[in-house]
Amino acid sequence: MDNNKRVLLAIALCLGVLIAWQYFFPQNSLIQKAPDQQAQQQGQKAESKPAAKPDPSMAQAEPLPGSPIVVSTPLYKATLLTSGGVLQHFTLSKYKLSLDQNSPNMDLVSAQAASKAPMGLIVDGKASWRDAAWTTDAKDTTLAPGSTATLTFTGAVGGITIKRELTFHADKYEIDEAVTLVSQAPQVSKLAFTLAAGSLTGGEANYNPTRAAFYTKSLEEITGLDGLKEGKIVDSGQWAAVESNYFISALIPASPALLKLQHVDGVTRLAAERDNISLAAGTPVKVQNSYYLGPKERSTLAQAPGNLKAALDYGWFHILAEGCLWLLHFLYGYVHNYGLAIIILTVLIKAAFWPLSQKSYKSMEKMRQIQPLMAAIREKHGEDRTKMNEELMQLYKTYKVNPAGGCLPIMVQIPVFFGLYQALLNSIELRHAAFIAKLPFTDLPWLADLSAKDPYYITPLIMGATMFIQQRMSPPVGDPTQAKIMLFMPVVFTFMFLNFPSGLVIYWLVNNVLSIAQQGMLMKGSAPAQAKKA
């Protein structure tokens, strides 16, 4: 029994520590909380090497003159300036900043980020939005579904004529860019595409930090944005981005480029630089790039260039998380409520592991039955642990009990749990998705956002109660210290779950209820047999 309980306790503690770590120290203990975007709006590893000094081309950005040009599509509204096509706003049509009915739509370019010239070009280290004279005949444009539009900007800097062609798509969050350089004399030049973003969380949340990311041969994420103050340079990168759990702003060069990342004044700036561009006199050279500013939807990211779908990373159990998400979306297609879909998904997962759980409970029940014999052996041999262990092993053989048999099925389920945990934590479909929009018999909003915590902590408290019931149904622990720790576990878990997304709490709560039912059925079935035997 002690061995069994020790393993269970170790698993529970591991779960608790891992979840607590992600809550209190998400991704990295050096996370710098970016300024709240709503407040701003209301106010107006791989092949990499660190940069030794701040990159001057990234550090300079000033307020921009120019007239606004608005591109409206069914997915977003983008506002650019005539001074070189620099981005000022990128407002998503389908995503609100908060649940408030009067909340503005999510803007991926805050006022603070706009002052850093997102989508500005740097030519030979010169900020073209400031140093070049630009002309354009672009004007406000509205795109119908299925259509595209290209805005053209022309400028000149350092003897080089620049032609920017920005292509917007009505049905995609991508903006494609083609820059044509024409030099008056032969020279070698370099060109950098840039982007800038502040907080993408839509509000502070420990489990949803804004972070920087880049992709070379694998995904690298940087949550300690303070570490980017001095800048970071990445060779041969496929893309660089600022992201949260739900949104991403990415630079995607047409071919691997030198990526630069820097965090200054609460804004993360990105650049994708192409060096050694040979310009013959009068011969145009074209360089291409794409931007993606939008939600981290699996379907849209899968269609984006540069393997941007790699931004959806669910950790060690990625495949399991993908499977859970697919099933969750499949169920939602029938019930049209993600809360119900989570419950059904939990039931299906529980059903899939029902035989393993049943085996676990049976093993625990057998251990409960031989517990008096085990206690007698311990009392008999006292401090002679060798003799005591020998007799315990013989007891296990006699009653055909495996002390670890009750824990192995649980260990098999742990990868599924963490896969689902990551899937629910990073699924944009749960953001602002309601389960029960109003507290029953009141007009108070309740589980109106499955990605947010329960505002009245009702579900975490019920979840804690179910954990306590489960514990009371389990065989008592022989060791007094372990008994105290086990008694404290429901309290610890309840505390941790208070601020967890309600979608996760619902999953855990339903799973506990099903476990109680299963364990109760087993105990009820074994009771007559014991009575008959007696």
Side-chain angles (χ1 to χ4, degrees):
M1 174 62 73
D2 284 352
N3 291 336
N4 203 358
K5 282 297 179 186
R6 285 194 182 100
V7 177
L8 279 172
L9 182 59
I11 292 171
L13 288 174
C14 287
L15 285 171
V17 169
L18 203 154
I19 293 172
W21 182 267
Q22 292 207 17
Y23 174 71
F24 291 108
F25 309 100
Q27 307 295 324
N28 190 305
S29 59
L30 297 177
I31 285 177
Q32 176 185 2
K33 295 181 178 180
D36 182 88
Q37 188 184 27
Q38 190 167 21
Q40 294 173 13
Q41 292 188 354
Q42 289 172 348
Q44 68 184 325
K45 283 150 215 177
E47 298 170 1
S48 62
K49 57 183 181 183
K53 297 179 180 179
D55 183 357
S57 65
M58 293 281 287
Q60 297 178 8
E62 298 175 352
L64 310 166
S67 302
I69 303 170
V70 178
V71 178
S72 302
T73 78
L75 299 178
Y76 61 83
K77 181 179 290 185
T79 303
L80 304 92
L81 292 180
T82 53
S83 51
V86 173
L87 196 61
Q88 294 294 283
H89 295 286
F90 198 90
T91 308
L92 303 178
S93 303
K94 297 182 178 179
Y95 298 93
K96 292 278 189 180
L97 184 61
S98 71
L99 275 179
D100 192 327
Q101 290 183 347
N102 298 320
S103 171
N105 286 353
M106 189 75 187
D107 188 353
L108 299 186
V109 181
S110 64
Q112 197 172 5
S115 68
K116 303 298 182 184
M119 282 181 55
L121 289 181
I122 299 175
V123 181
D124 291 331
K126 297 178 181 178
S128 69
W129 60 88
R130 189 179 58 241
D131 296 334
W134 290 94
T135 60
T136 181
D137 58 357
K139 56 186 179 182
D140 291 354
T141 303
T142 299
L143 297 182
S147 63
T148 63
T150 299
L151 306 186
T152 302
F153 301 83
T154 303
V157 60
I160 298 175
T161 300
I162 310 165
K163 181 181 178 184
R164 291 192 78 180
E165 295 174 293
L166 294 169
T167 300
F168 297 82
H169 307 268
D171 304 320
K172 296 193 291 187
Y173 291 99
E174 297 161 37
I175 303 172
D176 296 323
E177 176 170 12
V179 174
T180 303
L181 304 176
V182 181
S183 176
Q184 298 173 0
Q187 64 174 295
V188 177
S189 183
K190 63 180 179 181
L191 173 70
F193 302 91
T194 72
L195 203 53
S199 171
L200 298 184
T201 63
E204 294 296 344
N206 281 346
Y207 48 79
N208 181 24
T210 295
R211 50 199 181 266
F214 60 88
Y215 187 88
T216 51
K217 293 180 180 178
S218 62
L219 174 67
E220 299 285 344
E221 292 183 313
I222 304 169
T223 50
L225 295 178
D226 272 345
L228 288 178
K229 283 184 177 178
E230 298 300 314
K232 183 178 184 64
I233 296 177
V234 180
D235 289 331
S236 303
Q238 293 192 37
W239 54 261
V242 180
E243 62 173 3
S244 65
N245 289 4
Y246 308 121
F247 302 101
I248 184 170
S249 296
L251 268 176
I252 315 167
S255 58
L258 193 70
L259 302 179
K260 297 181 178 180
L261 303 91
Q262 190 177 41
H263 186 76
V264 290
D265 301 331
V267 175
T268 303
R269 303 183 65 201
L270 312 168
E273 185 175 286
R274 287 287 306 279
D275 205 349
N276 296 321
I277 303 174
S278 296
L279 300 177
T283 302
V285 174
K286 182 177 289 188
V287 183
Q288 295 179 304
N289 180 71
S290 293
Y291 307 87
Y292 181 99
L293 296 95
K296 294 175 76 172
E297 297 172 348
R298 291 192 306 160
S299 57
T300 53
L301 288 180
Q303 298 175 2
N307 199 23
L308 188 60
K309 64 181 180 182
L312 286 173
D313 180 39
Y314 303 121
W316 294 349
F317 307 112
H318 182 88
I319 294 178
L320 292 172
E322 287 274 8
C324 291
L325 272 179
W326 180 88
L327 192 52
L328 184 67
H329 297 157
F330 175 79
L331 296 170
Y332 176 81
Y334 287 93
V335 299
H336 304 294
N337 182 302
Y338 275 108
L340 291 176
I342 290 173
I343 292 175
I344 297 173
L345 177 63
T346 309
V347 172
L348 293 177
I349 292 176
K350 192 66 180 177
F353 286 104
W354 189 275
L356 285 174
S357 299
Q358 194 78 353
K359 184 178 180 181
S360 171
Y361 294 141
K362 284 182 178 178
S363 178
M364 292 171 67
E365 189 61 26
K366 284 185 178 178
M367 293 295 287
R368 181 207 299 269
Q369 293 170 10
I370 66 172
Q371 191 174 26
L373 300 177
M374 295 170 63
I377 292 173
R378 290 194 189 92
E379 184 177 357
K380 177 181 177 183
H381 295 289
E383 299 298 324
D384 188 351
R385 300 188 67 84
T386 302
K387 185 66 177 177
M388 180 181 70
N389 289 332
E390 288 177 356
E391 292 207 11
L392 284 175
M393 292 302 296
Q394 185 58 46
L395 182 68
Y396 297 151
K397 290 180 181 178
T398 302
Y399 286 88
K400 299 180 179 178
V401 173
N402 183 349
C407 302
L408 291 177
I410 298 176
M411 296 182 69
V412 172
Q413 297 180 56
I414 287 178
V416 177
F417 165 77
F418 279 112
L420 184 59
Y421 171 82
Q422 288 293 334
L424 295 179
L425 197 63
N426 294 281
S427 177
I428 193 171
E429 289 80 1
L430 297 188
R431 184 180 184 271
H432 295 177
F435 177 32
I436 303 173
K438 301 288 184 182
L439 194 64
F441 312 113
T442 73
D443 289 329
L444 299 173
W446 188 32
L447 302 176
D449 182 358
L450 288 169
S451 71
K453 67 178 183 180
D454 183 337
Y456 307 112
Y457 306 113
I458 296 173
T459 48
L461 292 175
I462 297 176
M463 187 278 301
T466 59
M467 287 192 71
F468 181 75
I469 294 172
Q470 272 188 294
Q471 192 178 81
R472 299 298 295 176
M473 294 174 69
S474 301
V477 181
D479 184 86
T481 303
Q482 288 185 39
K484 291 179 181 177
I485 295 176
M486 293 297 288
L487 188 63
F488 196 59
M489 290 304 294
V491 179
V492 174
F493 271 67
T494 302
F495 176 77
M496 289 192 306
F497 273 67
L498 288 179
N499 292 313
F500 265 30
S502 53
L504 275 173
V505 181
I506 289 170
Y507 159 73
W508 198 292
L509 169 59
V510 173
N511 185 65
N512 284 355
V513 171
L514 294 174
S515 297
I516 290 171
Q518 185 179 14
Q519 196 167 349
M521 291 170 61
L522 180 65
M523 293 174 67
K524 187 177 180 180
S526 62
Q530 291 182 31
K532 185 176 180 180
K533 185 176 180 181

